[in-house]
Amino acid sequence: MTDETLKRYRESIDNIDAALVFLLAERFKVTQAVGRYKAETKLPPADPNREEEQIARLRSLAQSAHLDPDFSEKFLRFIIDEVIRHHERVREPG
């Protein structure tokens, strides 16, 4: 037996998940370019001030969107850590 209501919810969730994947892919394309630029110009891979500004900004946005700010911070921190790892890898010889 098929539950049509549940099926519609799941289809929407699937669409949202696909959009998130494409958004993350686009974000990482840009941050990888930033990493190459930072390596070329001898800038450090991490920018703690920028990170804190972004976290504060997104916590505020999350609160406005009725999303748990702690969750949004954890999610952004995960992304930032991955970006920094990419930036550090760009600097490695070879």
Side-chain angles (χ1 to χ4, degrees), residues 46-73:
D47 184 345
N49 290 332
R50 165 80 174 154
E51 294 165 27
E52 290 308 312
E53 288 171 4
Q54 281 296 90
I55 287 170
R57 187 174 77 82
L58 290 184
R59 283 184 67 89
S60 177
L61 287 171
Q63 211 165 13
S64 296
H66 306 288
L67 179 67
D68 179 2
D70 292 336
F71 169 77
S72 68
E73 182 174 345

Side-chain angles (χ1 to χ4, degrees), residues 77-92:
R77 175 50 57 195
F78 176 78
I79 292 171
I80 289 170
D81 290 346
E82 188 66 16
V83 167
I84 292 169
R85 192 175 66 77
H86 287 174
H87 290 185
E88 289 169 342
R89 197 170 51 217
V90 168
R91 294 176 176 278
E92 293 174 3

Side-chain angles (χ1 to χ4, degrees), residues 2-92:
T2 304
D3 183 330
E4 286 301 316
T5 300
L6 184 57
K7 182 180 176 190
R8 283 193 311 275
Y9 287 146
R10 287 180 173 168
E11 286 172 352
S12 289
I13 290 168
D14 291 349
N15 289 342
I16 293 165
D17 288 347
L20 285 171
V21 167
F22 284 109
L23 284 171
L24 286 170
E26 193 62 27
R27 189 185 197 286
F28 276 96
K29 273 195 266 182
V30 174
T31 59
Q32 287 171 353
V34 169
R36 289 189 298 275
Y37 176 78
K38 284 181 169 185
E40 291 167 5
T41 58
K42 309 286 191 260
L43 292 169
D47 184 345
N49 290 332
R50 165 80 174 154
E51 294 165 27
E52 290 308 312
E53 288 171 4
Q54 281 296 90
I55 287 170
R57 187 174 77 82
L58 290 184
R59 283 184 67 89
S60 177
L61 287 171
Q63 211 165 13
S64 296
H66 306 288
L67 179 67
D68 179 2
D70 292 336
F71 169 77
S72 68
E73 182 174 345
K74 289 175 192 173
F75 184 73
L76 183 61
R77 175 50 57 195
F78 176 78
I79 292 171
I80 289 170
D81 290 346
E82 188 66 16
V83 167
I84 292 169
R85 192 175 66 77
H86 287 174
H87 290 185
E88 289 169 342
R89 197 170 51 217
V90 168
R91 294 176 176 278
E92 293 174 3

